[in-house]
Amino acid sequence: MSSKYLAARLLSRKNRLTREEKDVILARVLAATAPRRARRWPALVFALAGAAAAVIAIPWAIRDRSAESSFASRGDGAAMFDLACAGQRTHTCQLGQTLVFDLQATRYRYFAAFARRDDGTVIWYFPDAAPGTSLDLRDRTPGGVLGISLDAAHGAGHYQVYGIYSAAPLSREDIKSRFRPGARDLGRETSIATHELVVL
């Protein structure tokens, strides 16, 4: 007999279990016989991974065409693209995020892009180096998506992004010599589409 409960038994003049002893025994029995909980963390990890994949994949699967009204397509073809940051179709991005070009189906084979900040600074996306030429869309764009990291060289500010579609590859010099702000194209077999972009 436990000394903890001895005084209660002596005072009651009964050699039986007290109410408190019965409650303690019941709690032990219930704890010992309760079904063990399955570990929840593997299910939680898989659920979070699935949710993250859905957040990234759904915007690309849906391809909301109502957003197309936010760009100006110029030229003789239906050459278009959209912009996204952090998996969201938006025209406002943070430094360090990846700017995604979502290229729409077009009859043009090549794509070049650059951005001009309000202060006149030009950032080249494609071609990414001076000796290069515009990207061959048949070889370089799985799913019509291209990504660029918005690093410190970009700088915060308001940009006009120009996407130049063409039937033949173009170098930066070709584009510079033929580009005129407000022009619908760079000449025959080319088309320009534009977007506003704000980098914070």
Side-chain angles (χ1 to χ4, degrees):
M1 171 179 11
S2 170
S3 62
K4 180 178 178 183
Y5 301 106
L6 178 60
R9 286 186 183 188
L10 290 173
L11 290 173
S12 69
R13 295 181 188 197
K14 297 176 185 173
N15 193 12
R16 290 186 285 176
L17 293 174
T18 65
R19 185 73 187 142
E20 190 176 352
E21 286 177 289
K22 290 178 183 177
D23 289 343
V24 169
I25 292 170
L26 179 62
R28 285 183 191 159
V29 170
L30 290 176
T33 60
R36 298 205 182 262
R37 286 187 175 176
R39 291 187 178 173
R40 292 185 186 181
W41 68 267
L44 181 61
V45 168
F46 289 119
L48 290 175
V55 165
I56 293 169
I58 288 174
W60 302 115
I62 294 174
R63 299 214 184 230
D64 180 13
R65 299 302 179 201
S66 64
E68 291 178 358
S69 62
S70 64
F71 64 84
S73 180
R74 301 178 182 147
D76 59 352
M80 299 178 274
F81 70 94
D82 206 355
L83 298 177
C85 273
Q88 300 293 322
R89 205 170 252 137
T90 181
H91 297 263
T92 302
C93 302
Q94 301 282 333
L95 282 174
Q97 288 183 325
T98 299
L99 174 65
V100 175
F101 287 78
D102 182 8
L103 307 180
Q104 310 302 317
T106 178
R107 65 182 180 89
Y108 296 105
R109 181 172 177 174
Y110 296 92
F111 180 75
F114 68 93
R116 183 187 306 258
R117 195 165 53 206
D118 283 347
D119 66 3
T121 301
V122 173
I123 306 287
W124 283 93
Y125 301 126
F126 316 107
D128 56 2
T133 60
S134 47
L135 297 178
D136 186 338
L137 298 178
R138 295 182 189 170
D139 299 334
R140 303 280 301 275
T141 57
V145 176
L146 302 167
I148 294 290
S149 177
L150 296 176
D151 56 18
H154 227 92
H158 181 264
Y159 291 84
Q160 185 73 28
V161 179
Y162 297 92
I164 300 157
Y165 290 88
S166 60
L170 299 171
S171 68
R172 285 186 183 182
E173 288 306 314
D174 293 333
I175 295 167
K176 287 179 193 177
S177 67
R178 296 163 61 182
F179 180 80
R180 301 291 176 265
R184 299 172 55 91
D185 54 46
L186 298 180
R188 201 165 161 246
E189 293 298 314
T190 64
S191 181
I192 299 174
T194 65
H195 274 287
E196 301 289 321
L197 172 66
V198 177
V199 178
L200 304 174

